[in-house]
Amino acid sequence: MHATGLSRAALKRHYMSERGAAQVQETRHGLWLALVVYLLFGIADAMLIPDVSAETITGRFAVAILSLIFMEIVVAAHAPSKWSDLVCAVTVVVAYLGWLIPAIPTNDFDTFRFYMYFGTIFMMSANLFFNLFFRLSVATSAAILIIFFTSLAFVPPLEPNQLMVHVLFYLSCFVFTSYVNWKLNQERFNVFINALEAAHQHDEAEKRGLALERLSNTDYLTGVENRRAVDKRLRDYWNDWQTEAKAFAAILVDVDFFKKYNDFYGHQAGDRCLILVASVLSETLKPLNASVGRYGGEEFIVLSRVTGRDQVMALGEIIRSAVEGLHLVHDQRRDGQAFVTVSVGASYTRPQSGPKLERIINEADRALYSAKANGRNCIRLFNPNDPLTSDDNENIAATLRMAIKNDLVHLVYQPIQNLKTGRVEAVESLMRMKMIDGTPLSPAQFIPVAERTGAILDLGLWAIRRACTEVLATGVAPMASVNVSAIQLKSRGFALAVSTILEETGVSGSQLAFEITEGIDMEGQSDVIRCITDLQALGIRIWLDDFGTGFAGLSWLRLFPFDTVKIDRSFLQDARRPAGRAMLEDIIRLIRNRGLKILIEGLETADHVELMHELGIELGQGYYLGRPVPIDEVRIKAFPRLASVSGR
């Protein structure tokens, strides 16, 4: 079998069938040229055998005209190439006869005997000039040879030596040209095979290229367009809007309470949920010439040509109802619904859309935020007068870009105390920010915007450096903890940047702790695990923050050896009730069985501290032990030791 999957016999048949119209035209042009040369030899007739030249030249023209007529008929009829080959073969034989028969009666015997050598030209043309197949060319050459031997009986007798030379010349020409023809046919066939294989490989390469292109533009999980393809389509739509005023809508679709779905039902069920949502969106929107792409974890984006507001709202309702119609059970929601739904935020191009593509996506994002704030499972179209889609977030985003340079952010520090010794063992670094006019912003306001815009990367490194220089390098506290987001852990070079900060500030990695929350999805996030491992290799301690606020805590304890686990304050508040205390004790027992340190946050009263002693908890944090304060206040009064409590 050949690389193309065909046997040699099949390749031969394919080779024959491929000699189609192109080969017919090639043979036709070759015949025209051969006949021109054939007619020009009429001049040689007039010079060498003038007494019969009129007859030979007439014969030449007759053969030429008839041959051309037959060839044109074959071409006009679009006949297979074998018929054009046959016309050429017959022409060669008839052309030889058309010259030889009228030339034999010449009286110039000696000249004619010499002229007979030129008969081998017909043999050569059959084997070498036309691309005849081997058997046909050999048959044609053999016919020339037979005609030559037959003609010897009708010409004046040759001397024995002349006869021998003529016979040997014709025989050697027959053998030589036939052999060359065989080699040429073999070579043509090999060239055909090589060309066929090259074409096959080219087709395969094109298919692989198309497959790779599809793969590079397709989300690996859901099969819809990925972020790369979406960005390209967005740019194309935006260019059409800018140059041809073709309006389009960008619609963001977010699966409601997906984290709770993922945590409760498991990641496989979560993946299946996303696949089903993507599938129903694709099937529903395909007839409407709208494209669907995955824009984030549980967020999809729909792009569609639109004519106005009503069409955008109608499309949004089609999207919302299609997902709701799946009836995927989701009974872990807290809004009274029991099925998977989506929130839809949309924007569309308008004269006031502005000159930048990012504007329409930002508007759709703000509309999506409004949809979530209005109870989810609804559609919101961007409205600049809606306070939930106002420019506040844009102002925050703009402020974040200049926050570090203009000293709009600072750190406050809250003590983490050893409840047995009363010593401050660490401080937690907490970021605070204000607007340019001095208006303070809570972390709940600016941290989500910083994560959405990517500003958290620079802010995060700034916070780590500031904690090292203000607290650790100066000996204010033996250890400082800094909150780290998922975006930082997924950022390339984050661990290296932290290592550089430690080296430049002269701080040991063992003095630093990073707090990460259950909200970061570690399952299947090899880059997050790798980054945390690299940080731990620097000596940095990794703390699990807000343990118990989600369903992922147990998976986290299984996936990574944390140094310390911070139990969320909500469990301490519930400890007033017997059931709440029992749950807190169960959580403490679970963490201790893993051999990890425990820190409970939210200690606000002496009773809370007393309970910590009863439960044997060493580390605590809360307003009762110390509120977050700026570095200047830390240096002035330090953090007091609670000798009255710890002296028990």
Side-chain angles (χ1 to χ4, degrees):
M1 296 294 289
H2 193 261
T4 57
L6 300 174
S7 65
R8 191 169 183 84
L11 283 171
K12 282 283 188 183
R13 291 193 296 271
H14 187 48
Y15 175 52
M16 295 291 291
S17 65
E18 284 294 304
R19 287 168 57 91
Q23 178 62 31
V24 171
Q25 288 297 330
E26 183 180 338
T27 304
R28 177 195 185 196
H29 296 153
L31 183 64
W32 274 86
L33 178 60
L35 289 174
V36 169
V37 174
Y38 178 65
L39 292 174
L40 289 176
F41 261 88
I43 299 173
D45 292 346
M47 295 173 59
L48 299 176
I49 47 176
D51 57 329
V52 292
S53 61
E55 291 81 358
T56 59
I57 292 172
T58 301
R60 288 178 186 274
F61 274 96
V63 169
I65 292 171
L66 289 173
S67 298
L68 290 177
I69 290 173
F70 280 109
M71 177 57 74
E72 293 306 313
I73 291 173
V74 168
V75 172
H78 302 288
S81 59
K82 65 180 181 180
W83 291 104
S84 61
D85 290 347
L86 186 60
V87 169
C88 287
V90 172
T91 297
V92 169
V93 175
V94 173
Y96 184 47
L97 288 172
W99 166 78
L100 184 61
I101 292 174
I104 288 176
T106 182
N107 295 319
D108 296 323
F109 300 132
D110 293 335
T111 304
F112 181 68
R113 293 187 185 101
F114 168 75
Y115 202 15
M116 286 180 69
Y117 285 116
F118 285 86
T120 56
I121 291 177
F122 296 95
M123 195 179 294
M124 293 178 186
S125 65
N127 281 320
L128 306 179
F129 186 77
F130 297 107
N131 293 331
L132 304 181
F133 286 111
F134 179 67
R135 284 179 293 182
L136 182 58
S137 64
V138 168
T140 305
S141 298
I144 299 295
L145 190 63
I146 293 170
I147 292 170
F148 167 71
F149 285 138
T150 303
S151 68
L152 293 177
F154 298 96
V155 299
L158 299 172
E159 296 294 329
N161 58 343
Q162 291 179 331
L163 180 61
M164 183 179 67
V165 169
H166 276 74
V167 171
L168 288 176
F169 186 74
Y170 266 81
L171 285 173
S172 61
C173 186
F174 172 76
V175 173
F176 173 75
T177 57
S178 296
Y179 174 75
V180 172
N181 178 266
W182 177 73
K183 293 294 289 183
L184 285 174
N185 271 285
Q186 285 290 101
E187 188 62 29
R188 292 188 193 106
F189 181 63
N190 290 334
V191 168
F192 169 76
I193 291 177
N194 292 335
L196 191 65
E197 185 168 352
H200 176 73
Q201 292 176 351
H202 178 72
D203 290 343
E204 289 296 314
E206 278 195 339
K207 290 177 182 177
R208 286 194 296 271
L210 291 172
L212 287 173
E213 185 178 2
R214 283 194 299 271
L215 186 63
S216 68
N217 289 319
T218 303
D219 178 61
Y220 72 96
L221 177 64
T222 61
V224 298
E225 291 183 345
N226 60 14
R227 183 66 177 265
R228 177 176 179 270
V230 168
D231 288 343
K232 182 181 182 304
R233 189 181 291 273
L234 262 172
R235 287 193 299 272
D236 291 342
Y237 275 28
W238 184 258
N239 290 336
D240 289 345
W241 161 250
Q242 294 289 306
T243 58
E244 303 175 31
K246 291 183 178 180
F248 72 94
I251 304 173
L252 294 178
V253 182
D254 189 84
V255 180
D256 295 328
F257 301 106
F258 181 73
K259 184 180 183 303
K260 291 186 179 296
Y261 187 97
N262 213 28
D263 290 343
F264 185 80
Y265 296 106
H267 290 285
Q268 288 186 337
D271 289 348
R272 178 175 175 273
C273 172
L274 293 177
I275 291 169
L276 290 173
V277 169
S279 178
V280 74
L281 290 179
S282 297
E283 292 175 2
T284 304
L285 298 175
K286 187 176 181 180
L288 304 177
N289 293 322
S291 66
V292 181
R294 190 178 179 192
Y295 209 56
E298 68 271 21
E299 190 172 273
F300 297 89
I301 185 169
V302 175
L303 300 176
S304 177
R305 305 285 187 189
V306 295
T307 56
R309 176 189 178 89
D310 292 342
Q311 189 176 357
V312 179
M313 291 298 292
L315 192 58
E317 176 57 27
I318 290 172
I319 292 168
R320 189 205 64 78
S321 59
V323 176
E324 188 177 48
L326 288 172
H327 293 104
L328 288 176
V329 176
H330 186 358
D331 53 13
Q332 294 302 304
R333 301 170 59 134
R334 297 179 181 176
D335 60 353
Q337 299 195 56
F339 298 102
V340 169
T341 60
V342 291
S343 298
V344 181
S347 181
Y348 65 99
T349 48
R350 310 172 305 284
Q352 60 270 35
S353 293
K356 292 185 178 181
L357 168 62
E358 292 78 9
R359 177 83 178 187
I360 191 171
I361 297 300
N362 185 35
E363 290 178 352
D365 191 41
R366 289 154 69 181
L368 179 61
Y369 177 78
S370 175
K372 291 180 179 180
N374 280 279
R376 305 178 189 256
N377 190 27
C378 62
I379 309 127
R380 286 293 180 272
L381 186 61
F382 173 75
N383 178 5
N385 298 319
D386 184 345
L388 290 173
T389 60
S390 67
D391 287 333
D392 288 347
N393 283 351
E394 286 304 295
N395 293 335
I396 293 173
T399 305
L400 284 168
R401 288 192 288 270
M402 63 178 74
I404 296 175
K405 183 178 179 181
N406 292 276
D407 293 326
L408 299 177
V409 288
H410 67 280
L411 295 183
V412 294
Y413 301 95
Q414 186 175 25
I416 297 170
Q417 196 152 14
N418 187 311
L419 300 176
K420 291 184 177 180
T421 66
R423 295 181 62 84
V424 173
E425 293 204 356
V427 293
E428 181 179 4
S429 309
L430 301 166
M431 192 179 298
R432 297 292 184 260
M433 178 178 163
K434 61 184 178 181
M435 299 294 282
I436 296 178
D437 61 2
T439 304
L441 293 171
S442 72
Q445 288 178 292
F446 70 84
I447 292 296
V449 179
E451 291 181 336
R452 177 171 61 83
T453 60
I456 194 66
L457 297 175
D458 290 336
L459 285 173
L461 292 176
W462 172 87
I464 295 168
R465 182 181 294 276
R466 184 57 63 95
C468 288
T469 55
E470 288 185 342
V471 175
L472 301 178
T474 56
V476 172
M479 179 181 290
S481 71
V482 181
N483 291 282
V484 174
S485 74
I487 295 174
Q488 291 169 271
L489 294 175
K490 292 179 181 180
S491 172
R492 273 189 167 185
F494 177 66
L496 180 60
V498 172
S499 175
T500 303
I501 291 173
L502 293 176
E503 184 177 351
E504 292 176 352
T505 57
V507 171
S508 170
S510 60
Q511 295 178 268
L512 198 60
F514 285 166
E515 299 188 23
I516 58 180
T517 66
E518 290 183 29
I520 302 174
D521 179 18
M522 285 178 68
E523 196 79 53
Q525 297 285 353
S526 58
D527 51 349
V528 173
I529 298 289
R530 189 182 307 111
C531 181
I532 294 176
T533 303
D534 291 342
L535 293 170
Q536 196 176 47
L538 296 173
I540 297 171
R541 306 183 191 193
I542 308 299
W543 293 1
L544 178 56
D545 193 15
D546 298 333
F547 181 77
T549 56
F551 293 99
L554 295 179
S555 297
W556 274 66
L557 293 180
R558 174 178 58 83
L559 286 169
F560 197 83
F562 293 95
D563 175 80
T564 300
V565 176
K566 292 182 71 172
I567 297 177
D568 186 67
R569 68 182 66 242
S570 59
F571 291 96
L572 182 60
Q573 307 301 326
D574 289 343
R576 300 187 188 94
R577 300 180 295 106
R581 175 162 179 158
M583 177 172 287
L584 178 59
E585 291 175 348
D586 288 341
I587 292 175
I588 292 170
R589 192 178 302 111
L590 171 68
I591 298 172
R592 280 178 174 158
N593 288 339
R594 298 289 297 175
L596 308 178
K597 295 179 184 178
I598 299 175
L599 190 162
I600 295 185
E601 54 187 356
L603 303 182
E604 297 177 354
T605 65
D607 291 339
H608 286 163
V609 177
E610 181 69 28
L611 177 60
M612 295 302 97
H613 282 287
E614 292 177 13
L615 297 175
I617 301 299
E618 291 189 1
L619 300 176
Q621 180 182 3
Y623 284 178
Y624 184 75
L625 304 179
R627 290 176 175 270
V629 293
I631 187 62
D632 293 338
E633 295 185 38
V634 173
R635 287 173 176 160
I636 293 172
K637 64 180 183 180
F639 288 113
R641 295 174 57 180
L642 301 181
S644 61
V645 176
S646 61
R648 294 182 177 233

